[in-house]
Amino acid sequence: MRIAVIAVQGAFREHIAALKSLGVDAYEAKRARDLDGADGVIIPGGESTAIGKLMREYDMLDPVRELARAGKPIYGTCAGMIVLAKRIEGEDTVHLGLMDVTVRRNSFGRQRESFEADIEIPAIGEPPFPAVFIRAPHIVSVGDGVEVLATYGDRVVAVRQGNLLATSFHPELTDDYRLHRYFLDMAQAPVAH
Amino acid sequence: MSTVGTDRVKRGMAEMQKGGVIMDVVNAEQAKIAEAAGAVAVMALERVPSDIRKAGGVARMADPAVIEEVMNAVSIPVMAKCRIGHIVEARILEAMGVDYIDESEVLTPADEKHHIDKTKFTVPFVCGARDLGEALRRIAEGASMIRTKGEPGTGNIVEAVRHQRMMQSAIRRVQAMSEDELYAEAKNLGAPYHLLKQVHDLGRLPVVNFAAGGIATPADAALMMELGSDGVFVGSGIFKSENPEKYARAIVQAVTHYQDYELLAHLSKNLGQAMQGIDLATLREEERMAVRGW
């Protein structure tokens, strides 16, 4: 199994390390051609405006959409979640526009409000899961077919829609790789979109 | 239970900036140009370093009104500079909600002996360093991100190259050492043993390591990536060039695709005049910013 990690900007190295520690062939994708033959895609944390712009300028949006249509799993963390969303509050431009959710950027405030918290994610096993929120977005509303995997307070922070997965927080900054394992299980048991 | 200001949150913020370009801006209009070009953050200043050089005198924290103007103009993170050792300027910036503080040698130092104890702050700090020892001293004080000092405001890459080369070669040397050699090396470098041990084990700094000081072209930015930088700061290089939009876009793309030389050729075409550079031999010793701090 080969997982492409979008590497135009952001914390792609950490995702690759997480996947490699799970015995998976993970690699950097900077151009459209790098997505050929991928069995799944991770869009890392970073700045969503920069990642969205660079993916657009280097024609990476359509290949990822095609992989999603073919049932390959796509996982976005933080900025990656914003890149996946169909709606971004207060903005006209969306990026991949794949996931039927509305996201609010920087929803917890500025960097000084960034935090760590233990949360529950029943789908991946026993709590706690250490969640790192950095200028994080949250999901304001979800469409039909979107399953809420985790909340923090009254905010939705992890969702799944078929073969699409998104979290507001950064499992790649911790050593708890259960979400990466969950994502790989999605790759092994593809869901029709 | 949630905890703010942890090392993971402060260092993690810098991890998210990797592979990106942080641009100096002096007003809302420039901040918007930077954001549209794909900058991962902006550094809000009253003057870019080359103008600080020209103005002379004491350079201080920017007017909070300028920083606020920039914060209101963009949705990407906003950084701002305080003077080395100026605890109160840093507290003011933190109170304003600035996302990252640069305790910077570009401004006139406020304390000749002590840098700020950055572990006491919720907001993360970036600090300049010329070599591994200096970087580890700053990390010990709580810096969550390191950048080379370079020689700011000169448009001359030579000092940034020197600093990143020294850093990377020292890291390789430390990595190859036996564990019992690390004690003596910690003494040589004037760096805490436990941080040196982390460098030995990781083969890199325990925090993100950017390049700064003298980057003026897409090729300069790509060079710094080639030498092992995690990303770049561009100060005067963008808004002192003939065509800031073009330079900003090209430098962002050059950092992502720093090893795609055909693309770099394409990105470097028809950009117009780069910022006017300064030959470092013409700078008097007291005009050098890189020697500020220890």
Side-chain angles (χ1 to χ4, degrees), chain B residues 169-231:
Chain B
S169 97
I171 289 171
R172 281 189 291 273
R173 204 177 61 238
V174 166
Q175 201 181 4
M177 282 180 177
S178 67
E179 296 207 0
D180 62 347
E181 288 171 327
L182 293 175
Y183 297 100
E185 186 63 10
K187 178 171 175 282
N188 280 341
L189 291 174
Y193 169 79
H194 75 281
L195 291 175
L196 196 66
K197 177 77 167 57
Q198 285 179 27
V199 172
H200 171 75
D201 295 346
L202 293 169
R204 57 174 170 80
L205 292 182
V207 303
V208 166
N209 174 17
F210 267 47
I215 295 161
T217 66
D220 286 351
L223 171 62
M224 296 314 298
M225 295 301 288
E226 186 91 44
L227 294 176
S229 309
D230 290 320

Side-chain angles (χ1 to χ4, degrees), chain B residues 50 53 153-157 214 216 240 273-280 282:
Chain B
S50 66
R53 281 189 185 283
T154 61
N156 191 333
I157 196 71
K240 287 289 169 188
Q273 196 66 44
M275 74 174 283
Q276 180 83 44
I278 299 176
D279 181 348
L280 295 181
T282 66

